[in-house]
Amino acid sequence: MRAAMGQFAVSSEWQENIVTCRDLMQRARTGGADLLLLPEAVLMQDREHPDRILQAAQPLDGPFVSALLAESAENSLTTIMSVHVPAAAGKTQNVLIALRNGRIIAHYAKLHLYDAFAMQESQRVTAGSTIPPLIEVAGMKVGLMTCYDIRFPELARRLALDGAEVLVLPAAWVRGPQKERHWALLTATRALENTCYLVATGECGPRNIGNSMTIDPLGVTIAQAAESATLIFADLEAERLAYARRILPVLENRRFATPQLRQE
C-alpha cells in the first residue's frame, strides 16, 4: 500500500479547506497513493473564536463533504479525515470519515475527547460510543483512530486484535512543552506494541506541530514531515508486516483479554 499524508493548516473558511483538500487528493492520486490521510477537523478551525465550530458544523451530506465525495468519484483512492457534524444539545461530534469512489465507506465518532493540558474538547463535542470499524485498502486492513485516541493503548490494541494491520490517525496535535516528544513516543509505541503500521497526519500552523509520520511494525519511522504544509508518501509492505509479526508475536503471546468499551 502507498500512503500519502497531506499536512496543512486548516483555514477558518470551509470553502478554502475544500480547495486544499481537493488539491491534496489530486496530488496523492498523481503520486500513486492508495490512501490519503488528512488532518483532524478539516472543515474549519478558528483559534480566536472556537465557538464558531458549533455554527460551522455540517452534516455528512452537507456541501463540504459532498464536494470531496465528488472529487473522490470514479477513482479508488481512499481519503480519510475528520470533520465536525451537528449533534444533540447544541454540540457537535468529531467524526472521522473514509471516502472512496464517491461514497463514505466508513465513519467513526471520536471516543476520547481532548480534556487535557488546559483544553476541554467536551465543552463543544459529544463523544462517540462505538469501536471504529476496519476498512480494507490495497489488500491491507486499516483501523481508524483520531488524535487523542493515541494516548489510550486499549483502542489500538482492540483494533489490532480485530485484524488491523495499519492504524491511521488524523490529528491536530497542539504545541507545548514536551508535546513533540509525546507525539513521537506515542505513535512509535502504538505501532511497535501492536506490530502494525501507523500512519499519522497532523495539522500544522501556528498552534499545531505538524510532524506527520508513518511508523513501521517494528517502530521504525519510514517517513516524516516537518512543521510546514506538505504532502509526503510512505510505502507499506505486507512482507515487512509479516516479518515483524513472526519475530515479535506479541499479539499471540499476550495474556490479557480483548479490550472492551466501558459501559456508562
Side-chain angles (χ1 to χ4, degrees), residues 5 59 73 189 203 237:
M5 291 150 277
T189 300
E203 184 188 354
E237 301 173 351

Side-chain angles (χ1 to χ4, degrees), residues 99-261:
L99 315 180
R100 187 195 298 157
N101 295 123
R103 298 186 301 111
I104 298 174
I105 63 169
H107 59 86
Y108 154 64
K110 186 178 181 182
L111 280 171
H112 299 102
L113 301 183
Y114 187 51
D115 289 358
F117 293 107
M119 301 188 72
Q120 197 161 18
E121 187 177 11
S122 64
Q123 285 184 340
R124 302 174 183 88
V125 180
T126 300
S129 59
T130 58
I131 298 291
L134 302 185
I135 62 173
E136 186 166 318
V137 180
M140 301 184 82
K141 293 180 180 178
V142 178
L144 311 175
M145 303 191 299
T146 303
C147 200
Y148 193 46
D149 283 338
I150 196 73
R151 291 188 181 272
F152 301 87
E154 299 87 354
L155 179 56
R157 176 53 54 90
R158 169 61 186 267
L159 292 170
L161 293 177
D162 285 349
E165 300 164 309
V166 180
L167 302 171
V168 296
L169 185 84
W173 203 261
V174 180
R175 298 179 186 276
Q178 297 294 315
K179 293 295 293 300
E180 287 88 348
R181 179 169 169 75
H182 293 183
W183 173 255
L185 284 171
L186 289 162
T187 51
T189 300
R190 295 293 90 84
L192 177 59
E193 70 189 2
N194 293 296
T195 54
C196 287
Y197 280 98
L198 191 145
V199 182
T201 298
E203 184 188 354
C204 59
R207 192 190 77 151
N208 299 313
I209 67 169
N211 289 171
S212 301
M213 61 178 67
T214 294
I215 315 292
D216 87 354
L218 290 176
V220 178
T221 302
I222 60 174
Q224 184 170 2
E227 75 285 354
S228 56
T230 190
L231 177 68
I232 61 173
F233 294 85
D235 293 316
L236 285 53
E237 301 173 351
E239 295 81 3
R240 176 70 168 173
L241 179 78
Y243 171 73
R245 291 186 169 182
R246 184 171 69 252
I247 66 167
L248 185 62
V250 290
L251 298 179
E252 296 177 17
N253 294 344
R254 66 190 172 85
R255 301 281 304 276
F256 284 84
T258 301
Q260 305 292 327
L261 271 178

